[in-house]
Amino acid sequence: MPDCPQCHQPVPEQAIACPHCRYTLKAFGHPGIPLYQSEGGSLCTTCLYHADDTCTFPQRPYASRCTLYTSSTPAPDAMPYQPSLKNRLQIWLRQRGGWLLLGAIAVISLVLALGNR
Ligand code: SF4
Ligand SMILES: [Zn+2]
């Protein structure tokens, strides 16, 4: 359960406003639209859209509240997936298994044809 950024009391995940202090937690009164808020300073300084210069919001670069804020530093659990050697081998075989089988049949056929001479 997240905490209210203003009164720091626990609030339900889908709450539109804090039940304790009525602080706005979601944008446009919709529980599915998160409203990111800074705790002092601008959100833009750590936002991906500020870093890559694609944000066109007028509140940039001084936004203290924003619906599109995206951190420019990836979360540790968002690091790229690194499959193990075994998994990479399985993927490689799954992608090329048909060609390997076809090649094996061709080699066996060639060996049998040459052996019958
Ligand atoms: S998306 Fe929001 S937080 Fe990000 S740069 Fe634009 S205004 Fe700032
Ligand atoms: Zn609150």
Side-chain angles (χ1 to χ4, degrees), residues 5-110:
Q6 183 162 283
C7 69
H8 303 288
Q9 297 290 317
V11 291
E13 187 85 39
Q14 297 296 315
I16 294 167
C18 174
H20 310 286
C21 69
R22 305 308 308 158
Y23 188 70
T24 306
L25 298 170
K26 302 289 182 185
F28 311 113
H30 193 286
I33 305 176
L35 181 62
Y36 300 96
Q37 306 178 62
S38 73
E39 296 180 10
S42 169
L43 284 172
C44 304
T45 53
T46 57
C47 180
L48 177 68
Y49 303 121
H50 181 61
D52 68 9
D53 201 23
T54 55
C55 175
T56 57
F57 280 3
Q59 66 266 34
R60 179 188 174 209
Y62 305 110
S64 58
R65 303 172 120 202
C66 186
T67 55
L68 284 185
Y69 171 78
T70 303
S71 174
S72 57
T73 52
D77 59 351
M79 298 304 277
Y81 169 65
Q82 291 288 328
S84 66
L85 182 63
K86 181 184 164 197
N87 285 351
R88 276 187 280 176
L89 186 64
Q90 286 175 338
I91 292 167
W92 190 86
L93 283 173
R94 212 176 301 137
Q95 290 172 339
R96 295 167 181 85
W99 289 109
L100 282 177
L101 183 64
L102 203 60
I105 291 171
V107 168
I108 291 169
S109 301
L110 190 63

